[in-house]
Amino acid sequence: TPTNGGKEGEIELILKNESVADGTRAFGSGTTESWEKSISSAVLIVYNTSGTQILRRVLTAAEVNGSTTTPIKFVLSADASCDFYVVINRNIADNITTKAKLLEELESDIASYNGTYANVTTKAMRSGGFVMTGATTAKIAAGTTSVTMTVKRVVAKVEIQTTMTD
C-alpha cells in the first residue's frame, strides 16, 4: 500500500536475458546445457533508498519467461527511487530483508558450482539450477513506470583444454 498520501505508480517490469552480444563468450565445443537455462523458482525484491525491503513477490516461471511480451505488473509508492532485484533458482529466506543481506547471501554459495568437466556437462552441480540475478534502479512516477532488468548467471562455466608436452 502506498505510504505517501495515496500517490501510487504502476510498475511494468520486463526481464531480459543477457545475450552473446552483451559479453558472454564461448570457447571450445562447450554449450549451454538445458538445466543451465531452466527456471525452478524466482523472487522479485524491491528496496527503498535506505536498503530496506518494501516489496517481495514470488514470480512464476511463466511470468519470468513471458515478461518480455507481458510485463509483470504491481504498484509502489510514486516519487521514490527503488532498487529492483530478481533472483532465479535460489531460495531467499524471509528474514533476508535488507539489500546488504541479500548481496551477502548471493555470494555465499558460489563454490557449490565447482566440479569436474564430466560432472558439469551431465548435471547441475547445485539443486535448483544455475542462480541468475538481475538488478536495476528506477524512480517511480505517478502513473506507469516501465522497468527493464537484464538477468545474468552469477557464475560462468569455463571449458579449458590442455595439451601436455615434454
Side-chain angles (χ1 to χ4, degrees):
T1 303
T3 57
N4 62 343
K7 246 174 127 176
E8 59 186 39
E10 181 180 48
I11 310 303
E12 292 187 346
L13 177 67
I14 297 171
L15 302 175
K16 65 179 189 170
N17 290 325
E18 181 181 44
S19 69
V20 172
D22 292 333
T24 299
R25 301 288 183 260
F27 303 97
S29 61
T31 60
T32 303
E33 311 297 341
S34 61
W35 61 84
E36 296 171 326
K37 298 183 277 189
S38 66
I39 296 173
S40 62
S41 65
V43 64
L44 168 69
I45 305 172
V46 182
Y47 298 98
N48 61 18
T49 53
S50 65
T52 302
Q53 178 179 297
I54 58 173
L55 177 110
R56 179 187 179 105
R57 180 172 162 191
V58 175
L59 304 174
T60 66
E63 283 179 307
V64 173
N65 289 324
S67 75
T68 55
T69 56
T70 307
I72 300 162
K73 295 183 181 186
F74 53 96
V75 175
L76 291 174
S77 294
D79 296 331
S81 270
C82 297
D83 293 327
F84 295 80
Y85 285 82
V86 68
V87 180
I88 297 172
N89 294 340
R90 189 181 194 292
N91 292 327
I92 302 297
D94 290 339
N95 65 347
I96 306 291
T97 59
T98 65
K99 183 169 72 169
K101 282 292 202 184
L102 175 69
L103 297 176
E104 181 182 314
E105 183 76 7
L106 291 174
E107 290 289 326
S108 69
D109 67 348
I110 289 177
S112 67
Y113 290 97
N114 293 338
T116 64
Y117 184 76
N119 282 339
V120 299
T121 56
T122 59
K123 63 184 176 188
M125 293 303 296
R126 63 177 297 284
S127 63
F130 276 85
V131 174
M132 296 173 259
T133 62
T136 193
T137 300
K139 181 162 172 110
I140 310 309
T144 301
T145 301
S146 293
V147 177
T148 301
M149 189 182 318
T150 301
V151 177
K152 302 175 185 178
R153 290 191 339 195
V154 297
V155 296
K157 180 171 84 175
V158 179
E159 175 183 351
I160 300 173
Q161 295 180 344
T162 60
T163 304
M164 302 300 288
T165 64
D166 291 339

